Amino acid sequence: RPIGAPLCDYHALVADRPLDIRQDLAEFGLSAFRFTGLIDPHGDFAGAVASEAPAYVIELDGSAPDYLERIRAASAKRFKNYRRLEGKLDREVGPLSLRAPDVDRAAFDQLLAWKRQQLDRTGAHDFLAPQWTRDLLSSFLDMREGPFQGLMINLYCGDRLLAGHIGVRVGGVYHPWIASTDPAMGQWSPGQIFLLRAIAAMPALGLRTYDLGPGHDHYKRPYALATRTVGEGTMAAAGPRGRNAVAAERAWTLAGAHGPGPVGRLRRRLDIIATSELSLGGRARGLAGAIAARALRPGAAPGAEAL
């Protein structure tokens, strides 16, 4: 599976020479390479992509105010309501401010705690339970020099943290890995107000691209005037191991693993468990949690709650 999964949204081949991926997988002793967010500009994974989905990108090709005006014009009623809530929150609760970069460890811990509460509420697998995922995200706060850096952006109401993003940036491109909001302030739509403020702050931060990634379409689509396509599927190795992987993948596909139904949700959850849990015990607990969540919330799709 891809390095950094399930935290990273994008998967790609990084190589300095042409590769025969199927043969190389066999030589590495692997049966298959499973991906859920593939970018494949050269067609190296041709035939292995079972389904595709949009990833949402905020791309400033002019000024931030012009961009905000364009998205407001496209969803006038929606953004009028967010502007009303923003003004009401600022007047009645406390002055709003965006801190970027924010390196406050207490704020970082709070964002992760809210995210874990969200995962629990929606019945999704807690990919932040393994220590390595928290350590990786924590390391972003120390990456402050060079072209590749970590970046945490947070929205405050007075001294109260409301919402934030934790992610990585390369030059003028920022991609958050974690988005989190205060559940007690849900009536104010803090995640929506956060994004409006973050877009306005992009020029001052030296950002031209705010890459929201795939998934959570209802939350991201109104803010993104651009998309890119990512693929989900499995590239099987050459030889007997690969043939077994192809048979297994065909069975998943026939069962509906690449659709929005229960089999698709189960497959995506198993992907998260397999990539985040490094021990057999952790994977067993994750599988038991998946079964329990399905029994308790038969109509809930993992991750369905808005960020």
Side-chain angles (χ1 to χ4, degrees), residues 179-254:
S180 190
T181 63
D182 182 352
M185 299 293 285
Q187 67 187 41
W188 300 97
S189 298
Q192 316 291 345
I193 296 172
F194 167 86
L195 264 181
L196 291 172
R197 293 275 178 135
I199 293 171
M202 285 175 64
L205 291 170
L207 298 177
R208 68 178 183 278
T209 302
Y210 204 116
D211 192 331
L212 298 175
H216 301 284
D217 301 40
H218 62 289
Y219 170 75
K220 299 174 181 178
R221 184 184 290 113
Y223 297 90
L225 298 178
T227 61
R228 64 166 54 95
T229 300
V230 296
E232 176 187 350
T234 302
M235 171 66 87
R241 284 187 177 186
R243 286 193 289 272
N244 292 337
V246 168
E249 184 63 21
R250 185 177 295 117
W252 273 110
T253 299
L254 291 174

Side-chain angles (χ1 to χ4, degrees), residues 7-276:
L7 293 171
C8 61
D9 288 315
Y10 294 114
H11 311 148
L13 173 66
V14 181
D16 61 358
R17 63 184 176 87
L19 297 178
D20 180 341
I21 300 176
R22 297 185 188 277
Q23 187 59 45
D24 287 334
L25 286 172
E27 292 180 5
F28 296 153
L30 302 173
S31 60
F33 177 68
R34 170 94 180 118
F35 51 84
T36 55
L38 181 72
I39 297 175
D40 186 25
H42 304 298
D44 294 303
F45 291 81
V49 177
S51 64
E52 294 182 329
Y56 297 95
V57 182
I58 297 166
E59 191 80 53
L60 292 189
D61 52 6
S63 70
D66 286 347
Y67 187 93
L68 288 168
E69 187 57 37
R70 290 170 65 191
I71 63 173
R72 284 169 178 154
S75 303
K77 185 176 181 180
R78 174 196 298 268
F79 286 106
K80 182 179 180 180
N81 184 53
Y82 294 155
R83 184 177 291 180
R84 179 186 64 81
L85 288 172
E86 182 180 22
K88 188 177 175 65
L89 184 62
D90 192 80
R91 291 190 307 271
E92 298 182 6
V93 182
L96 291 170
S97 63
L98 195 75
R99 299 182 193 176
D102 192 349
V103 295
D104 187 335
R105 290 281 173 179
F108 171 86
D109 291 340
Q110 183 63 78
L111 291 181
L112 294 197
W114 286 338
K115 174 57 71 174
R116 297 187 69 181
Q117 291 172 21
Q118 177 196 344
L119 295 171
D120 181 63
R121 286 195 304 272
T122 58
H125 181 69
D126 184 1
F127 58 85
L128 292 172
Q131 187 65 42
W132 76 266
T133 59
R134 302 196 303 276
D135 288 345
L136 176 59
L137 291 167
S138 179
S139 71
F140 290 175
L141 297 187
D142 298 321
M143 296 161 50
R144 305 180 197 175
E145 298 181 359
F148 182 70
Q149 299 181 18
L151 178 60
M152 180 169 68
I153 303 176
N154 289 328
L155 177 68
Y156 289 83
C157 186
D159 292 328
R160 178 172 182 167
L161 178 65
L162 292 184
H165 282 179
I166 304 167
V168 292
R169 69 175 294 176
V170 180
V173 179
Y174 177 54
H175 177 46
W177 284 16
I178 294 291
S180 190
T181 63
D182 182 352
M185 299 293 285
Q187 67 187 41
W188 300 97
S189 298
Q192 316 291 345
I193 296 172
F194 167 86
L195 264 181
L196 291 172
R197 293 275 178 135
I199 293 171
M202 285 175 64
L205 291 170
L207 298 177
R208 68 178 183 278
T209 302
Y210 204 116
D211 192 331
L212 298 175
H216 301 284
D217 301 40
H218 62 289
Y219 170 75
K220 299 174 181 178
R221 184 184 290 113
Y223 297 90
L225 298 178
T227 61
R228 64 166 54 95
T229 300
V230 296
E232 176 187 350
T234 302
M235 171 66 87
R241 284 187 177 186
R243 286 193 289 272
N244 292 337
V246 168
E249 184 63 21
R250 185 177 295 117
W252 273 110
T253 299
L254 291 174
H258 302 291
V263 177
R265 294 197 296 269
L266 174 62
R267 181 68 183 282
R268 288 187 286 275
R269 181 164 185 143
L270 292 178
D271 281 333
I272 293 174
I273 293 170
T275 50
S276 61

